[in-house]
Amino acid sequence: MNYIELLQAELRPAFGCTEPIALAYAAAKSVAVLGECPTSMTARCSANIIKNVKNVTIPNSGGRKGLACAAILGALVGKPERELEVL
């Protein structure tokens, strides 16, 4: 396998910074698996994810930032079938 084939097989498009999008995707996927919106969520994140999520704007959020906002948006309006383009 050459480098181009490897990149085409592994890379996925993302809408916005990947850290809040990954959190939103996880929340949207959990809603899909549960079949309903949970009453609470807990996200265990590395320090790097926390740092990046609180410093970048979440796409389609009206300028909002933060872990809670990314998770709530993912759970409420996320489309998990779109993967990292969830919002």
Side-chain angles (χ1 to χ4, degrees):
M1 179 181 283
N2 66 39
Y3 290 116
I4 300 295
E5 291 170 343
L6 178 63
L7 289 172
Q8 288 174 336
E10 295 295 323
L11 293 178
R12 300 287 180 266
F15 186 63
C17 183
T18 54
E19 284 85 355
I21 293 300
L23 190 57
Y25 176 45
K29 191 70 170 177
S30 69
V31 170
V33 170
L34 290 171
E36 63 184 4
C37 199
T39 57
S40 67
M41 291 184 280
T42 300
R44 293 187 142 182
C45 302
S46 72
N48 285 331
I49 293 223
I50 293 168
K51 172 184 63 92
N52 289 338
V53 170
K54 71 181 199 177
N55 290 313
V56 297
T57 302
I58 301 163
N60 297 324
S61 70
R64 292 178 177 82
K65 300 176 182 180
L67 290 166
C69 187
I72 290 167
L73 282 171
L76 294 179
V77 299
K79 296 185 179 359
E81 65 276 3
R82 295 181 62 198
E83 296 180 343
L84 294 179
E85 295 178 300
V86 64
L87 298 177

